[in-house]
Amino acid sequence: QGRLVESGGGSVQAGGSLTLSCLASGYLSSSYCMNWFREVPGKEREGVAASAPPPRFHGDGREYYADSVKGRFTISRHRANDTLILQMNNLKPEDTGTYFCAAGLRRDCGTWERADIEAWGQGVQVTVSS
């Protein structure tokens, strides 16, 4: 597997949308659980979305979301170009933070245990103004 490289962050007003991309070379054609985390100063890094590997890679293909983003964020895998996407709609000021793409162990996908994470991206900033 290669590196994880995020892109697509920026600034938007509340109610707007952003799409984050993670170039995840080699990770989407394997049994990794793929995740998006976010971090704000003074708080622990928290998981917001996770994608279990598909059945061909020994997973069930399920998606998991933190309660705070359910119905607004969508995680998706695009194997053709090795890209993990986080579509963020109806953004709120509390969504502001640094967003990280992460590859982790298939077990307990959706629990966002830091100990299960094997690779992190460098992070991308998202700022939502009211």
Side-chain angles (χ1 to χ4, degrees):
Q1 283 74 27
R3 297 169 57 203
L4 298 172
V5 182
E6 302 96 335
S7 62
S11 297
V12 66
Q13 287 194 325
S17 298
L18 281 174
T19 303
L20 303 184
S21 298
C22 173
L23 181 59
S25 301
Y27 287 99
L28 300 189
S29 298
S30 65
S31 61
Y32 283 99
C33 170
M34 299 303 298
N35 304 270
W36 286 97
F37 284 76
R38 70 182 174 200
E39 185 175 280
V40 298
K43 292 188 177 181
E44 280 196 24
R45 194 173 294 187
E46 64 172 350
V48 296
S51 169
R56 71 168 71 186
F57 297 120
H58 314 295
D60 58 13
R62 290 183 62 183
E63 299 168 8
Y64 302 87
Y65 298 96
D67 288 343
S68 61
V69 306
K70 277 181 185 174
R72 299 187 299 119
F73 289 14
T74 303
I75 188 172
S76 59
R77 295 171 174 244
H78 299 263
R79 281 185 59 219
N81 55 4
D82 275 341
T83 300
L84 183 73
I85 298 290
L86 185 67
Q87 177 64 43
M88 305 186 294
N89 297 326
N90 190 22
L91 282 160
K92 303 177 180 181
E94 52 263 42
D95 294 317
T96 294
T98 302
Y99 283 71
F100 297 86
C101 175
L105 300 177
R106 174 167 49 93
R107 71 178 187 213
D108 300 328
C109 190
T111 62
W112 298 291
E113 292 288 339
R114 297 282 296 271
D116 288 342
I117 301 300
E118 296 194 346
W120 293 94
Q122 82 285 357
V124 63
Q125 180 65 33
V126 170
T127 302
V128 185
S129 58
S130 57

